[in-house]
Amino acid sequence: MPISSQPVHIIGAGLAGAEAAWQIARANTPVVLHEMRPVRQTPAHRTGDFAELVCSNSFRADDPQTSAIGMLHREMRGLDSLILNAADRHKLPAGGALAVDRDGFSRTITEQIRACPLIEVVCEEIAGLPPADWDNVIIATGPLTSQALGAAIGALTGERDLAFYDAIAPVVHRESVDMSKAWMQSRYDKAGPGGSGADYINCPLNKEQYYAFVDALNKAEKIEFKTFEDTPYFDGCLPIEVMAERGAETLRHGPMKPFGLTNPHDPDVKAYAVVQLRQDNALGTLYNMVGFQTKLKHGAQIEVFRAIPGLQRAEFARLGGLHRNTFLNSPKILDGAFRLRAQPRLRFAGQITGCEGYVESAAIGLIVGRMAAADRSGEAFLPPPATTALGALINHITAGHIETIDAGPSSFQPMNVNFGLFPPLTEPLEKPQGKRLRGPEKAAARKAALSARALRDFEAWVAARKVPAPA
């Protein structure tokens, strides 16, 4: 394939921008990747590396038979995803999840991008809309888009950007955890990628301790916002104290659920609730508190979290915090190829489009990168079918689901990939030995059938498109 003479410009070297640049370069099209860090930092980032993970270090469940995100992992691996390849290289023990050493992960991506001869990296902020002579642009600035660029996009579209808050969980030094009270175990002893079945630190609470913890959360000092008070939280990343406000039992049926765990220090007594910590770096010296994203003031975090059994002497490498995210009303202002209807030379990719999560952001970067490369070479690009995880996610953002599945939501909101985004099965579920499927068995069979259909349709799409095999 000949190399195109005109580059595609990408603004932002996060997960989506880095993935898009990689995919475009693989199509023999030059890329100019514009990244404002480290010239100008954001409130959430701490390095100048590309694809820095600012919140969790988990890419969530990796099993394509039981999870939609696992299906997305499978499809991205099949398309030589830069992000998934780096995640696999730097995976950490995390039960059934794919978690990564965040520093090694970002460093690898930065090195690969900078070493690619078709990718030119320019460290600068693009304030306002890109120059008019950039005819093929991907804006992948993420939820932390600079005010100048965000204002320019808003002026161009006439749309008021939607926004929400994301919260960050604390990270604890492993050596400060009291393992005479805590223990290592994955829920239901599930090993998963890079794991052993004993991948999480578990801190148990009895009923009295649990209710005292919830009461302390409700009374603790919280950060109050002077602006954007009406900005909602994303439901998939609620601060733990906001969950506690929704009811005393909410946490023990959410991030503190005790199911699938047995305390070896007291095996005959089931914990009423459990706090889990997941490995956060390759050395195993840091662990993050799973689901404990918070907007408590720093002093309150230390006081409340040290009341948890096993964490009485916890030392924190990082305390929790919040940052404001923005995203577009994509079904209204973007077309099916992620181009801005008001100015089609501009495409958008990643979280700013209204997908939520590291993997989803990278997945949209992958697809949008391929779309931009196809445009540059004058080829048509047929997106993956809606029955695949990639296709279902694309449909969510471009409003394809409104026609193919249901009447659509009353308003567009950020969304993780999930089984509810897939078109319904048209064939009946198989009944093993004539047995009628009920409850959990029926749900598991449905997920397996959706996964099998997605794999079949994805492989047919790849074959029809003659997508290059991974290098």
Side-chain angles (χ1 to χ4, degrees):
M1 183 185 297
I3 297 177
S4 170
S5 60
Q6 295 298 316
V8 174
H9 291 267
I10 299 177
I11 305 174
L15 290 149
E19 184 69 68
W22 184 254
Q23 296 295 328
I24 294 167
R26 287 186 70 247
N28 278 339
T29 299
V31 179
V32 180
L33 181 59
H34 306 264
E35 170 56 49
M36 71 178 186
R37 294 181 300 115
V39 175
R40 182 182 174 192
Q41 283 286 17
T42 75
H45 291 88
R46 59 184 181 83
T47 76
D49 285 343
F50 305 152
E52 180 182 336
L53 306 182
V54 299
C55 296
S56 169
N57 71 323
S58 174
F59 284 16
R60 313 198 313 279
D62 196 55
D63 184 359
Q65 302 303 314
T66 59
S67 70
I69 191 65
M71 292 164 61
L72 193 57
H73 289 179
R74 179 176 65 191
E75 292 171 15
M76 292 175 69
R77 288 185 178 111
L79 295 174
D80 189 29
S81 164
L82 172 72
I83 299 301
L84 259 292
N85 288 343
D88 287 335
R89 285 177 61 181
H90 295 280
K91 62 188 175 185
L92 299 175
L98 175 60
V100 305
D101 170 43
R102 64 178 76 231
D103 292 334
F105 167 82
S106 297
R107 185 168 54 249
T108 290
I109 290 170
T110 304
E111 290 170 352
Q112 288 188 260
I113 290 290
R114 289 191 177 278
C116 180
L118 284 175
I119 301 176
E120 177 189 356
V121 177
V122 180
C123 292
E124 65 177 357
E125 179 184 2
I126 304 299
L129 293 178
D133 60 342
W134 294 5
D135 65 334
N136 194 336
V137 182
I138 296 174
I139 297 176
T141 47
L144 299 174
T145 298
S146 68
Q147 287 187 344
L149 182 56
I153 294 167
L156 182 63
T157 62
E159 280 288 315
R160 177 184 180 272
D161 282 355
L162 302 177
F164 61 96
Y165 282 116
D166 256 356
I168 300 171
V171 173
V172 176
H173 288 281
R174 165 69 172 78
E175 63 182 11
S176 70
V177 178
D178 183 356
M179 296 305 291
S180 69
K181 297 179 180 177
W183 75 96
M184 301 294 299
Q185 185 186 6
S186 302
R187 209 176 294 281
Y188 300 107
D189 302 309
K190 191 168 184 178
S196 65
D199 304 326
Y200 291 76
I201 296 175
N202 298 277
C203 300
L205 292 85
N206 60 31
K207 189 173 184 178
E208 180 181 358
Q209 290 168 332
Y210 171 75
Y211 283 114
F213 173 75
V214 172
D215 185 56
L217 277 179
N218 288 331
K219 292 178 179 178
E221 280 193 290
K222 303 166 182 68
I223 296 171
E224 299 297 333
F225 295 97
K226 303 302 180 184
T227 57
F228 308 116
E229 286 91 347
D230 59 342
T231 303
Y233 297 106
F234 171 59
D235 274 346
C237 198
L238 285 175
I240 192 165
E241 61 276 4
V242 173
M243 287 187 271
E245 291 170 358
R246 296 186 173 186
E249 292 291 301
T250 301
L251 290 175
R252 67 180 300 266
H253 291 281
M256 296 178 69
K257 56 182 178 286
F259 314 119
L261 299 166
T262 300
N263 184 353
H265 304 305
D266 198 357
D268 296 326
V269 176
K270 287 292 183 183
Y272 194 74
V274 172
V275 175
Q276 287 198 308
L277 289 82
R278 180 180 59 237
Q279 187 173 333
D280 200 71
N281 67 341
L283 294 174
T285 57
L286 300 177
Y287 276 68
N288 67 67
M289 300 178 69
V290 179
F292 267 57
Q293 52 274 358
T294 180
K295 65 170 184 174
L296 294 181
K297 289 187 176 181
H298 285 180
Q301 290 183 48
I302 294 172
E303 180 181 350
V304 173
F305 296 154
R306 280 184 177 166
I308 297 168
L311 299 183
Q312 290 93 335
R313 295 185 298 276
E315 295 295 331
F316 296 90
R318 183 190 70 197
L319 289 165
L322 269 82
H323 56 89
R324 183 179 181 270
N325 283 353
T326 58
F327 64 94
L328 301 171
N329 187 358
S330 294
K332 182 175 181 180
I333 68 175
L334 301 184
D335 66 13
F338 293 82
R339 293 174 300 206
L340 195 65
R341 296 182 192 275
Q343 199 169 121
R345 72 185 179 98
L346 304 180
R347 274 189 171 85
F348 288 82
Q351 280 187 276
I352 196 171
T353 65
C355 62
E356 175 61 20
Y358 293 145
V359 181
E360 290 89 340
S361 179
I364 296 303
L366 187 156
I367 287 296
V368 171
R370 286 175 177 254
M371 288 176 172
D375 265 6
R376 182 59 84 209
S377 62
E379 298 176 1
F381 183 88
L382 180 68
T387 51
T388 65
L390 281 164
L393 191 59
I394 291 169
N395 271 3
H396 161 65
I397 294 170
T398 62
H401 66 289
I402 293 176
E403 211 171 86
T404 59
I405 298 180
D406 53 37
S410 57
S411 63
F412 181 66
Q413 292 292 322
M415 186 77 70
N416 293 118
V417 67
N418 63 81
F419 284 112
L421 299 182
F422 291 77
L425 293 165
T426 55
E427 62 275 3
L429 295 175
E430 291 187 14
K431 301 176 183 178
Q433 299 178 344
K435 179 183 176 181
R436 184 176 181 182
L437 294 172
R438 299 176 183 271
E441 287 185 336
K442 184 176 182 180
R446 175 179 171 272
K447 291 177 180 178
L450 287 170
S451 177
R453 182 184 68 178
L455 179 59
R456 181 181 66 244
D457 292 354
F458 175 75
E459 290 178 340
W461 175 75
V462 169
R465 293 292 304 162
K466 298 181 180 178
V467 174

Coordinates of all heavy atoms in Angstrom, one line a residue, residues 1-12 16-33 79-82 113 116-120 136-140 347 349 364-377 381 468:
M1 N 0.9 -1.2 0.0 CA 0.0 0.0 0.0 C 0.9 1.2 0.0 O 1.8 1.4 0.9 CB -0.9 0.0 1.2 CG -1.9 1.2 1.3 SD -2.8 1.2 2.9 CE -3.7 -0.4 2.8
P2 N 0.7 2.2 -1.0 CA 1.6 3.4 -1.0 C 1.3 4.3 0.2 O 0.2 4.3 0.7 CB 1.1 4.0 -2.3 CG -0.2 3.5 -2.6 CD -0.3 2.1 -2.1
I3 N 2.3 5.0 0.5 CA 2.2 6.0 1.7 C 1.5 7.3 1.2 O 1.9 7.8 0.2 CB 3.6 6.3 2.3 CG1 4.2 5.0 2.9 CG2 3.4 7.4 3.3 CD1 5.5 5.2 3.4
S4 N 0.5 7.7 1.9 CA -0.2 9.0 1.5 C 0.7 10.1 1.8 O 1.6 10.1 2.7 CB -1.5 9.1 2.4 OG -2.0 10.4 2.2
S5 N 0.6 11.2 1.0 CA 1.5 12.3 1.2 C 0.9 13.3 2.2 O 1.7 14.1 2.8 CB 1.7 13.1 -0.1 OG 0.4 13.5 -0.6
Q6 N -0.4 13.4 2.5 CA -1.0 14.3 3.4 C -1.3 13.6 4.7 O -1.9 12.6 4.8 CB -2.3 14.9 2.8 CG -2.1 15.7 1.5 CD -1.2 16.9 1.8 OE1 -1.4 17.6 2.8 NE2 -0.3 17.2 0.9
P7 N -0.9 14.3 5.8 CA -1.1 13.6 7.1 C -2.5 13.8 7.7 O -3.2 14.7 7.3 CB -0.1 14.4 8.0 CG 0.0 15.8 7.5 CD -0.2 15.6 6.0
V8 N -2.8 13.0 8.6 CA -4.0 13.1 9.4 C -3.5 13.8 10.7 O -2.5 13.3 11.3 CB -4.7 11.8 9.7 CG1 -5.9 12.0 10.7 CG2 -5.2 11.2 8.5
H9 N -4.2 14.8 11.2 CA -3.8 15.5 12.4 C -4.7 15.0 13.5 O -5.9 14.9 13.4 CB -4.0 17.0 12.3 CG -3.0 17.7 11.4 ND1 -1.9 18.2 11.8 CD2 -3.1 17.9 10.0 CE1 -1.2 18.8 10.8 NE2 -1.9 18.6 9.7
I10 N -4.0 14.6 14.7 CA -4.8 14.1 15.8 C -4.4 15.1 17.0 O -3.2 15.3 17.3 CB -4.4 12.7 16.2 CG1 -4.7 11.7 15.0 CG2 -5.1 12.2 17.5 CD1 -4.3 10.3 15.3
I11 N -5.4 15.5 17.7 CA -5.3 16.4 18.8 C -5.5 15.6 20.1 O -6.7 15.2 20.3 CB -6.2 17.6 18.8 CG1 -6.0 18.4 17.5 CG2 -5.9 18.5 20.0 CD1 -6.9 19.5 17.3
G12 N -4.5 15.3 20.9 CA -4.6 14.5 22.1 C -4.0 13.2 22.0 O -4.3 12.4 21.1
A16 N -7.4 7.2 23.3 CA -8.1 7.2 21.9 C -7.1 7.8 20.9 O -7.0 7.3 19.8 CB -9.3 8.0 22.0
G17 N -6.4 8.9 21.2 CA -5.5 9.5 20.3 C -4.4 8.7 19.9 O -4.0 8.6 18.7
A18 N -3.8 8.0 20.9 CA -2.6 7.1 20.6 C -3.1 5.9 19.8 O -2.4 5.6 18.8 CB -2.0 6.6 22.0
E19 N -4.2 5.4 20.1 CA -4.7 4.2 19.3 C -5.0 4.6 17.9 O -4.7 3.9 16.9 CB -6.0 3.6 20.0 CG -6.5 2.4 19.3 CD -5.6 1.2 19.4 OE1 -5.4 0.7 20.6 OE2 -5.0 0.7 18.4
A20 N -5.7 5.8 17.7 CA -6.0 6.3 16.4 C -4.7 6.5 15.6 O -4.6 6.1 14.4 CB -6.8 7.6 16.5
A21 N -3.7 7.1 16.2 CA -2.4 7.3 15.5 C -1.8 6.0 15.0 O -1.3 5.9 13.9 CB -1.5 8.1 16.4
W22 N -1.8 5.0 15.9 CA -1.2 3.7 15.6 C -1.9 3.1 14.4 O -1.3 2.6 13.5 CB -1.3 2.9 16.8 CG -0.7 1.5 16.7 CD1 -1.3 0.3 16.5 CD2 0.7 1.2 16.7 NE1 -0.4 -0.7 16.5 CE2 0.9 -0.2 16.6 CE3 1.9 2.0 16.8 CZ2 2.1 -0.8 16.5 CZ3 3.1 1.4 16.8 CH2 3.2 0.0 16.7
Q23 N -3.3 3.1 14.4 CA -4.0 2.5 13.3 C -3.8 3.2 12.0 O -3.7 2.6 11.0 CB -5.5 2.5 13.7 CG -5.9 1.6 14.9 CD -5.6 0.2 14.8 OE1 -5.7 -0.4 13.6 NE2 -5.2 -0.5 15.8
I24 N -3.8 4.5 12.0 CA -3.6 5.3 10.8 C -2.2 5.0 10.2 O -2.0 4.8 9.0 CB -3.7 6.8 11.1 CG1 -5.2 7.1 11.4 CG2 -3.3 7.6 9.9 CD1 -5.4 8.5 12.0
A25 N -1.2 5.0 11.1 CA 0.2 4.7 10.6 C 0.3 3.3 10.0 O 1.0 3.1 9.0 CB 1.2 4.8 11.8
R26 N -0.4 2.3 10.6 CA -0.4 1.0 10.0 C -1.1 0.9 8.7 O -0.8 0.0 7.9 CB -1.2 0.0 11.0 CG -0.5 -0.3 12.3 CD -1.2 -1.4 13.1 NE -1.1 -2.7 12.4 CZ -2.2 -3.3 11.8 NH1 -3.4 -2.7 11.9 NH2 -2.0 -4.5 11.3
A27 N -1.9 1.9 8.3 CA -2.5 2.0 7.0 C -1.6 2.8 6.1 O -2.1 3.3 5.0 CB -3.9 2.6 7.1
N28 N -0.3 3.0 6.4 CA 0.6 3.8 5.6 C 0.2 5.2 5.3 O 0.5 5.8 4.3 CB 0.9 3.1 4.3 CG 1.9 1.9 4.4 OD1 2.7 1.9 5.4 ND2 1.9 1.0 3.5
T29 N -0.4 5.8 6.3 CA -0.8 7.2 6.3 C -0.1 8.0 7.4 O -0.1 7.6 8.5 CB -2.3 7.4 6.4 OG1 -3.0 6.7 5.4 CG2 -2.7 8.8 6.4
P30 N 0.6 9.1 7.0 CA 1.3 9.8 8.0 C 0.4 10.5 9.0 O -0.7 10.9 8.7 CB 2.2 10.9 7.2 CG 1.4 11.0 5.9 CD 0.8 9.7 5.7
V31 N 0.9 10.7 10.2 CA 0.1 11.3 11.3 C 0.9 12.4 12.0 O 2.1 12.2 12.2 CB -0.3 10.2 12.4 CG1 -1.0 10.9 13.5 CG2 -1.0 9.1 11.8
V32 N 0.3 13.5 12.3 CA 0.9 14.5 13.2 C 0.0 14.5 14.5 O -1.2 14.8 14.5 CB 0.9 15.9 12.6 CG1 1.5 16.9 13.6 CG2 1.6 15.9 11.3
L33 N 0.7 14.1 15.6 CA 0.0 13.9 16.9 C 0.3 15.1 17.7 O 1.5 15.3 18.1 CB 0.4 12.6 17.5 CG -0.2 12.2 18.9 CD1 -1.7 12.1 18.8 CD2 0.4 10.9 19.4
L79 N -7.6 -6.7 16.0 CA -7.3 -5.6 15.1 C -6.0 -4.9 15.5 O -5.7 -3.8 15.1 CB -8.4 -4.5 15.2 CG -9.8 -5.0 14.6 CD1 -10.9 -4.0 14.9 CD2 -9.7 -5.4 13.2
D80 N -5.1 -5.7 16.2 CA -3.8 -5.2 16.5 C -3.8 -3.9 17.3 O -3.2 -2.9 17.0 CB -2.9 -5.0 15.3 CG -1.4 -4.7 15.6 OD1 -1.0 -5.2 16.7 OD2 -0.8 -4.1 14.9
S81 N -4.7 -3.8 18.3 CA -4.8 -2.6 19.2 C -3.5 -2.3 19.9 O -3.0 -3.2 20.6 CB -5.9 -2.8 20.2 OG -5.9 -1.8 21.2
L82 N -3.0 -1.1 19.8 CA -1.8 -0.7 20.5 C -2.1 -0.8 22.0 O -1.3 -1.2 22.8 CB -1.5 0.7 20.1 CG -0.4 1.4 20.9 CD1 1.0 0.9 20.6 CD2 -0.4 2.9 20.6
I113 N 4.9 4.9 20.0 CA 4.4 6.0 19.2 C 5.6 6.9 18.7 O 5.7 7.2 17.5 CB 3.4 6.9 20.0 CG1 2.1 6.2 20.2 CG2 3.2 8.3 19.3 CD1 1.2 6.0 19.0
C116 N 7.6 5.2 15.8 CA 7.0 5.0 14.5 C 7.4 6.1 13.5 O 7.1 7.3 13.8 CB 5.5 4.9 14.7 SG 4.6 4.6 13.2
P117 N 8.0 5.7 12.4 CA 8.4 6.7 11.5 C 7.3 7.5 10.8 O 7.6 8.6 10.3 CB 9.2 5.9 10.4 CG 8.7 4.5 10.6 CD 8.3 4.4 12.0
L118 N 6.1 7.0 10.8 CA 5.0 7.7 10.2 C 4.2 8.6 11.2 O 3.3 9.3 10.8 CB 4.0 6.7 9.5 CG 4.5 6.1 8.2 CD1 3.5 5.0 7.8 CD2 4.6 7.2 7.2
I119 N 4.7 8.7 12.4 CA 4.0 9.5 13.4 C 4.9 10.6 13.9 O 6.0 10.4 14.4 CB 3.5 8.7 14.6 CG1 2.6 7.6 14.2 CG2 2.8 9.6 15.6 CD1 2.1 6.7 15.3
E120 N 4.5 11.9 13.6 CA 5.3 13.0 14.1 C 4.6 13.5 15.4 O 3.4 13.8 15.3 CB 5.3 14.1 13.1 CG 6.0 15.4 13.6 CD 5.9 16.5 12.6 OE1 5.4 16.3 11.5 OE2 6.4 17.7 12.9
N136 N -8.2 16.8 7.5 CA -8.6 15.5 8.1 C -8.1 15.5 9.5 O -6.9 15.2 9.8 CB -8.0 14.4 7.3 CG -8.6 13.0 7.6 OD1 -9.1 12.8 8.7 ND2 -8.5 12.1 6.6
V137 N -9.0 15.8 10.5 CA -8.5 16.0 11.9 C -9.4 15.1 12.8 O -10.6 14.9 12.6 CB -8.8 17.5 12.3 CG1 -8.3 17.7 13.7 CG2 -8.1 18.4 11.4
I138 N -8.7 14.5 13.8 CA -9.3 13.8 14.9 C -9.1 14.5 16.2 O -8.0 14.7 16.6 CB -8.8 12.3 15.0 CG1 -9.1 11.5 13.7 CG2 -9.4 11.6 16.2 CD1 -8.5 10.1 13.7
I139 N -10.2 14.9 16.8 CA -10.1 15.5 18.1 C -10.3 14.5 19.2 O -11.4 13.9 19.3 CB -11.1 16.7 18.3 CG1 -10.8 17.8 17.2 CG2 -11.1 17.3 19.7 CD1 -11.8 18.9 17.2
A140 N -9.3 14.1 19.9 CA -9.3 13.1 20.9 C -8.8 13.6 22.2 O -8.0 13.0 22.9 CB -8.5 11.9 20.5
R347 N -13.3 15.1 13.1 CA -13.8 13.9 13.7 C -13.5 13.9 15.2 O -12.6 14.6 15.6 CB -13.1 12.6 13.1 CG -13.8 12.1 11.8 CD -13.2 10.7 11.5 NE -13.9 10.1 10.5 CZ -13.6 10.3 9.2 NH1 -12.7 11.1 8.8 NH2 -14.3 9.7 8.2
A349 N -13.0 11.4 18.8 CA -12.8 10.0 19.2 C -12.6 10.0 20.7 O -12.1 11.0 21.3 CB -11.6 9.4 18.5
I364 N -13.0 3.3 20.3 CA -13.5 4.3 19.4 C -12.3 5.0 18.7 O -12.4 5.3 17.5 CB -14.3 5.4 20.1 CG1 -15.6 4.7 20.7 CG2 -14.7 6.5 19.2 CD1 -16.4 4.0 19.7
G365 N -11.2 5.2 19.4 CA -10.0 5.7 18.7 C -9.5 4.8 17.6 O -9.1 5.3 16.5
L366 N -9.6 3.5 17.8 CA -9.2 2.5 16.8 C -10.1 2.6 15.6 O -9.6 2.7 14.4 CB -9.3 1.1 17.4 CG -8.8 -0.1 16.6 CD1 -8.5 -1.3 17.6 CD2 -9.9 -0.6 15.6
I367 N -11.4 2.7 15.8 CA -12.3 2.7 14.6 C -12.2 4.1 13.9 O -12.2 4.1 12.7 CB -13.8 2.5 15.1 CG1 -13.9 1.0 15.5 CG2 -14.8 2.9 14.1 CD1 -13.8 0.0 14.3
V368 N -12.2 5.1 14.7 CA -12.1 6.5 14.0 C -10.8 6.6 13.3 O -10.7 7.3 12.2 CB -12.3 7.6 15.1 CG1 -12.0 9.0 14.5 CG2 -13.8 7.5 15.6
G369 N -9.7 6.1 13.8 CA -8.4 6.1 13.1 C -8.5 5.4 11.8 O -8.0 5.9 10.7
R370 N -9.2 4.3 11.8 CA -9.3 3.5 10.5 C -10.2 4.3 9.5 O -10.0 4.3 8.3 CB -9.9 2.1 10.8 CG -8.8 1.2 11.4 CD -9.4 -0.2 11.8 NE -8.3 -1.0 12.3 CZ -7.8 -2.0 11.6 NH1 -8.2 -2.3 10.4 NH2 -6.8 -2.8 12.2
M371 N -11.3 5.0 10.1 CA -12.1 5.8 9.2 C -11.4 6.9 8.6 O -11.5 7.2 7.4 CB -13.3 6.3 10.0 CG -14.3 5.3 10.4 SD -15.6 6.1 11.5 CE -16.8 4.7 11.7
A372 N -10.5 7.6 9.4 CA -9.7 8.7 8.8 C -8.7 8.2 7.8 O -8.5 8.9 6.8 CB -9.0 9.4 10.0
A373 N -8.1 7.1 8.0 CA -7.1 6.5 7.1 C -7.8 6.2 5.8 O -7.3 6.4 4.7 CB -6.4 5.3 7.7
A374 N -9.0 5.6 5.9 CA -9.8 5.2 4.7 C -10.1 6.4 3.9 O -10.1 6.4 2.6 CB -11.0 4.4 5.1
D375 N -10.6 7.5 4.5 CA -10.9 8.8 3.9 C -9.7 9.3 3.1 O -9.8 9.8 2.0 CB -11.3 9.8 4.9 CG -12.8 9.9 5.0 OD1 -13.5 9.0 4.4 OD2 -13.3 10.8 5.8
R376 N -8.5 9.2 3.8 CA -7.3 9.8 3.1 C -6.9 9.0 1.9 O -6.4 9.6 0.9 CB -6.2 9.7 4.2 CG -4.8 10.3 3.7 CD -5.0 11.8 3.2 NE -4.9 12.7 4.3 CZ -5.5 13.9 4.3 NH1 -6.3 14.3 3.3 NH2 -5.4 14.7 5.3
S377 N -7.2 7.7 1.9 CA -6.8 6.9 0.7 C -8.0 6.7 -0.3 O -7.8 6.1 -1.3 CB -6.4 5.5 1.2 OG -7.5 4.8 1.8
F381 N -15.3 2.9 4.1 CA -15.1 2.2 5.3 C -16.5 1.6 5.8 O -17.3 2.4 6.2 CB -14.4 3.0 6.4 CG -14.2 2.2 7.7 CD1 -13.0 1.5 7.8 CD2 -15.1 2.2 8.7 CE1 -12.7 0.8 9.0 CE2 -14.8 1.5 9.9 CZ -13.6 0.8 10.0
P468 N -5.6 -6.0 7.8 CA -4.3 -6.6 8.0 C -4.2 -7.4 9.3 O -4.7 -6.9 10.3 CB -3.3 -5.4 8.0 CG -4.1 -4.3 7.3 CD -5.6 -4.6 7.6

